[in-house]
Amino acid sequence: MSSERLLRLYREMYLIRRTEEVIADLYKEQEMRCPVHLCIGQEASPVGVCQELEPADVAFSTHRSHGHYLAKGGSLLALMGELYGRQTGCSAGNGGSMHLIDRAAGFMGATPILGATMALATGAAFATSMRQETRVTVAFFGDAAIEEGVFYESANFAVLKRLPLVLVCENNGLSTCSPLSVRQPPTRTICDMARGLGMTAVSGDGNDVLAVSQLARQAIDIARGGGGPVLIELPTYRWREHCGPGFDFDLGYRHPDELAAWQERCPMQRLVRHMEKTGVADAAALKRCEAEVQQEIDAAVRFARESPYPDESLLLAHEYMP
Amino acid sequence: MKPRTLRYCQAIHEALDLSLARDPSVYVMGLGVPDPKGVFETTLGLAEKFGSQRVLDMPASENGMTGIAIGSALAGMRPVLVHQRLDFAILAMDQMVNQAAKWCYMFGGQQGVPLVVRMIVGRGWGQGSQHAQSLQSWFAHVPGLKVIMPATPHDAKGLLIAAIEDNNPVISIEHRWLFNIEGPVPEGHYREPIGQARVIRPGRDLTIVAVSHMTIESLRAAEVLAEQGIEAEVVDLRTVRPLDRATILQSIAKTSRLVAVDTGWPSCGVSAEIVALAAEGAWSALKAPPVRVTLADCSSPSTPALARRFFPRVHDIVNAGRRVVGLEPLTERAPAAGDPPADVPDNDFRGPF
């Protein structure tokens, strides 16, 4: 992979990481008055997958969607506007963090009822197939979404119709505070289940953006080429609490050592190490890129804070589409 | 020239046929849609005419398939999803209520979901507790959904076409006992406006607000009342959400008396909404407490012996009308040998669905 491309991967992961760190820092000001589900530590999945997509390809996501939205090219200004509840937000302030959308970027929408958007993605892929288009649809979701019936129902139909669909399961081992071990049997993997339904299923290192992008490339090629849906399982770890800006070790459901071990596998540090190993690391370029991203984020926060709130007259405005 | 008549099921069929022909993004999907019975004749022959890509069967995955229909709508299609019984659509509440209904609002009005979900409500012939639920109030409770319940073949066609062409999710609740009702239906394409009730029979003494099959029963009741010298005005709701408050209030202002008749249950139901509307919007016009006619407040029994008391009938509406004008109820004569059975819509109905 060219050094330029590696730098771009770094930039995109840094954008997600820094944006969420800034959100976490500013959250205590109580101006972002909506729940936030941060994906710090999980940046390799959205960036690795989205960088393999064509601009016309589309993606759906769930509640932990800031990364997917940004990696697919969603507007940072509109994200911040939305978190601040402003008229300029991507959902005009009606959505908040859990309802991000940027249709121009092919980010079709994110909603938090775990597996629901899997069905929507399957439907978008079905439309593509009915119209004989070549677009690929991606659904991002977590390991708990697999436990909802909608996963089985969507997968069954996607296999039946050989739809151009890529399901990306970010397995961070937790549903809120409930570990995978109390939710799914240890002897069966998520890939086993997907294969049992007739899908191609692959698993890889969810904290290695290069591994993710390679898996995504193959999956997208299969899906676009008429080979039917593919599931990619990406084991990873969320560093922060389930919902909110902080860490939640006081709750006792996980130990700080667990986080420390996963931080050793930080997707950004690993990419930097790879760049160093292959001799393409350019410390000055990384610094420049980080500074640029920080400026963008600062500008987005400023933009959001300066944006007006929606007028009260808009309360009933969007119930129906004209 | 006598106007052309069709049966209700044929009117639905014609609406689907025309819509499929007019717009290539329309497709019809549901369990049994292309089968030899064609969902009580409403989809007969459409798969042969338009192909199995556009008129298709589906796995029994009500929730997932609703999501798939929604997802396809977000990508430019206009799906019509069909449930042979409403009770199965309950499996899809997440997709209808959390996703389809909210999509436009929660994303700030950027995109609607042009989805139609047809669901058929059973009655009688032992349908029982899970094949005869008329849950329009569930759907009408939810902002973002529209709920139509056409009572006549004319409206079945015009409202379904309007629903398919609407840019929002529309729940179409079709009562099984209407399917053989015959009535005038214009040829060709026309839309009946969603959200408009219709005064289907004018009268001066009381207002009967009714919906779906209860509109037909209310018309029969109005004839019986007329024989007793009471002129009932029958307002056919046609749409449960958005509710046409103006037409209802206008009629109550004229008659000062209200009977609300629903195919559903009384608690938090459509009839309760109508009475609340009258209390809030026509209090000073009312000369008598409104009366509701609904299902009994219990699950649907299967045996005809109990179904007779569970489902409201013409006799119940007649007595409700008498009550609001201050007359004593009439005693129903006991069923006698040779009477048509009370658990079928007409004497031709032979079951099983």
Side-chain angles (χ1 to χ4, degrees), chain B residues 114-184:
Chain B
L115 163 74
V116 176
V117 187
R118 290 182 52 206
M119 26 184 108
I120 297 163
V121 174
R123 170 174 170 165
W125 200 271
Q127 301 286 299
S129 290
Q130 296 183 356
H131 267 46
Q133 294 177 86
S134 200
L135 295 173
Q136 54 271 23
S137 63
W138 283 25
F139 298 104
H141 190 61
V142 179
L145 295 179
K146 297 184 180 183
V147 183
I148 58 171
M149 296 186 74
T152 64
H154 176 279
D155 289 347
K157 178 177 169 184
L159 278 169
L160 184 55
I161 289 174
I164 292 169
E165 295 176 6
D166 201 286
N167 290 322
N168 300 281
V170 181
I171 308 296
S172 174
I173 298 179
E174 302 159 7
H175 198 285
R176 178 69 183 92
W177 279 22
L178 293 168
F179 277 51
N180 278 330
I181 299 259
E182 193 152 340

Side-chain angles (χ1 to χ4, degrees), chain A residues 60 82 89-92 94-96 98-103 108-113 115-124 126-131 135 150 152-154 156-158 160-161 314-322, chain B residues 25 27 29 52-54 56-77 91 94-95 98-99 101 103-113 142-146 166-169 241-242:
Chain A
F60 289 84
E82 192 58 35
C90 61
S91 299
N94 279 6
M98 291 191 286
H99 302 293
L100 303 181
I101 188 168
D102 190 332
R103 293 169 70 210
M108 299 284 281
T111 72
I113 312 297
T117 44
M118 232 186 287
L120 305 187
T122 307
F126 184 40
T128 299
S129 137
M130 284 191 279
R131 292 168 153 176
R135 180 184 305 138
V150 72
Y152 162 79
E153 296 186 354
S154 303
N156 178 62
F157 190 73
L160 177 73
K161 300 286 184 187
L314 292 173
L315 177 64
L316 302 176
H318 301 307
E319 188 185 344
Y320 296 110
M321 197 70 188
Chain B
S25 64
Y27 72 101
M29 177 167 75
S52 59
Q53 295 274 323
R54 298 188 62 205
L56 61 153
D57 222 314
M58 69 176 209
S61 303
E62 290 81 3
N63 188 49
M65 293 313 300
T66 305
I68 286 162
I70 295 166
S72 76
L74 295 174
M77 305 300 288
L91 282 154
D94 171 45
Q95 290 293 344
N98 279 327
Q99 312 301 332
W103 204 266
C104 184
Y105 192 89
M106 73 186 167
F107 292 118
Q110 288 178 58
Q111 192 175 17
V113 178
V142 179
L145 295 179
K146 297 184 180 183
D166 201 286
N167 290 322
N168 300 281
R241 184 185 185 100

